[in-house]
Amino acid sequence: MTDAAAPEMIDWKVAVAIGSRLAGEGPIVSRDEADAAVTELRADAHRSTGLVREFTGLDAPEGTAPITVVDRAGWVRANAEAFKVATAPLVGKLAEKKSPSAIGVAIGSKVTGMEVGGLLGYMAGKVLGQFDPFHPDHGRLLLVAPNVVHVERELEVDPTDFRLWVCLHEETHRVQFTAVPWMRDHLFSEIAAITEAVEPASLLEGGTERLGEMVRAVRNGGSIVDMVSTPEQREILDRVTGMMSLLEGHADVVMDGVGPSVIPSVEAIRDKFTKRRKGVGTLDRLLRRLLGLEAKMAQYRDGAGFVRAVVDKVGMQEFNAVWAEPANLPSKAELSAADAWISRVLG
């Protein structure tokens, strides 16, 4: 590893400063409106915990993975921290294999920090909510109040209904990661496996310039995996796709299953939101783009189809075998072949 005093290869302070400036503040609201939105989102998230538990049977322990309502700058800061953790194995591999001068690293890290900041600033205005699995010790739920207000105004939907609808989806992710104790470590191990499979020679040319090039690729719709993918990495990526598709699809099923009983205008919200953008919320939009999953929305729809197909055939209790161990997660192929998963896991 590099010396502790050496400059980092990404200047995170620059990334946060640039990202916060580019993100802007969001819609114009009064102090009372802002306070009301924050209070309602926090209450809706807590209310959603019980609703998710009743529908799924997943019981998240109390006092883990805090619920945090943030503005856009707060989302940028939180995701800079998450990005730092997610990319640490990759950056560490670069730092181990290449030993540029401290001055060169310092200059390059500021440039790369600007690139990361541009990515975060671009995304900060789009994310409604997100479970951040990288936050110690158990992750945290982030709800981006100005973006929720912006979208509910744009769609002209009932704010109270829309906020609970968003919270149902995002809280399901918090429950998934806190009720299933191995999920977080499994995600980390898969990220580490992708990094381990990276060919050093493909990364080391250009040092921090190469990192900046990767960030630009992610911002423009590509991914790190697109640039360094090997057959081994693609195999790992397929496993991650299966897991992330399950988590997103499961959250959609919960939202659609619980919604009609507690959200009077849920059908109108779903219709308007689907027309505006496919899907709702993300487990971690940054991670998805970083790993090349952002373009795989069909597989996220497959996740919801898989959950519904299994639950329809065997019920929610039997479906919950999926959470027993990593081996029970559906493969990418099984997302569209629920019977194959039932046969393999439930016998």
Side-chain angles (χ1 to χ4, degrees):
M1 298 296 291
T2 54
D3 188 279
E8 293 187 280
M9 299 190 78
I10 299 175
D11 190 321
W12 297 104
K13 289 183 178 179
V14 169
V16 169
I18 294 292
S20 299
R21 186 162 68 246
L22 291 177
E25 296 183 358
I28 298 174
V29 296
S30 68
R31 168 52 60 183
D32 287 346
E33 288 174 319
D35 290 344
V38 169
T39 299
E40 189 167 22
L41 284 167
R42 189 174 288 118
D44 284 344
H46 284 291
R47 180 187 178 190
S48 296
T49 305
L51 295 171
V52 173
R53 180 176 58 246
E54 291 169 12
F55 186 80
T56 66
L58 295 178
D59 192 6
E62 296 289 335
T64 58
I67 296 166
T68 307
V69 183
V70 296
D71 58 12
R72 290 178 177 178
W75 185 90
V76 168
R77 289 191 296 272
N79 277 270
E81 295 171 12
F83 205 173
K84 184 175 182 179
V85 174
T87 59
L90 185 64
V91 172
K93 197 163 190 175
L94 275 168
E96 280 183 355
K97 301 296 182 180
K98 190 177 181 71
S99 301
S101 69
I103 293 176
V105 172
I107 294 172
S109 69
K110 291 187 183 301
V111 174
T112 308
M114 292 174 66
E115 297 289 353
V116 173
L119 172 62
L120 292 174
Y122 166 75
M123 294 173 64
K126 300 180 180 298
V127 177
L128 302 181
Q130 165 197 2
F131 183 77
D132 169 16
F134 301 103
H135 184 71
D137 292 318
H138 304 284
R140 60 181 165 181
L141 177 62
L142 302 171
L143 297 167
V144 190
N147 294 350
V148 173
V149 172
H150 170 73
V151 173
E152 69 193 25
R153 288 179 176 180
E154 182 181 281
L155 297 182
E156 298 181 338
V157 294
D158 181 271
T160 295
D161 286 1
F162 184 73
R163 292 167 190 178
L164 179 56
W165 189 69
V166 170
C167 287
L168 272 173
H169 184 101
E170 302 304 339
E171 176 61 15
T172 300
H173 290 317
R174 193 180 80 94
V175 170
Q176 290 163 345
F177 274 85
T178 52
V180 182
W182 52 263
M183 184 68 71
R184 189 167 175 266
D185 287 341
H186 180 63
L187 175 61
F188 289 1
S189 69
E190 294 287 49
I191 293 172
I194 289 176
T195 302
E196 193 61 31
V198 168
E199 294 292 340
S202 69
L203 286 175
L204 297 179
E205 295 298 324
T208 51
E209 292 180 11
R210 181 66 165 165
L211 282 175
E213 190 178 324
M214 291 177 181
V215 175
R216 286 190 293 275
V218 172
R219 184 177 182 184
N220 293 328
S223 69
I224 288 177
V225 173
D226 290 336
M227 302 184 68
V228 299
S229 183
T230 65
E232 183 181 357
Q233 285 177 300
R234 283 191 285 271
E235 181 179 338
I236 300 167
L237 183 60
D238 282 350
R239 294 201 303 266
V240 176
T241 299
M243 179 178 69
M244 300 290 280
S245 299
L246 168 71
L247 297 178
E248 287 290 348
H250 183 248
D252 266 352
V253 169
V254 172
M255 184 172 59
D256 288 345
V258 176
S261 65
V262 294
I263 303 173
S265 61
V266 66
E267 289 188 13
I269 291 173
R270 168 63 87 177
D271 182 60
K272 289 183 177 181
F273 196 89
T274 301
K275 289 177 180 177
R276 177 184 182 272
R277 185 178 64 192
K278 295 178 181 178
V280 58
T282 63
L283 170 62
D284 187 343
R285 186 175 293 272
L286 179 60
L287 177 63
R288 280 165 51 182
R289 291 193 70 163
L290 192 66
L291 296 180
L293 302 178
E294 187 69 15
K296 298 180 180 291
M297 291 306 297
Q299 286 157 0
Y300 285 82
R301 292 191 295 274
D302 287 346
F306 167 81
V307 174
R308 291 191 178 98
V310 175
V311 171
D312 286 347
K313 289 198 172 187
V314 302
M316 184 65 75
Q317 185 174 352
E318 290 295 307
F319 165 80
N320 282 343
V322 78
W323 312 116
E325 59 177 321
N328 286 8
L329 293 172
S331 67
K332 180 179 169 184
E334 286 171 338
L335 289 174
S336 55
D339 285 341
W341 181 87
I342 291 172
S343 177
R344 178 175 68 85
V345 174
L346 302 180

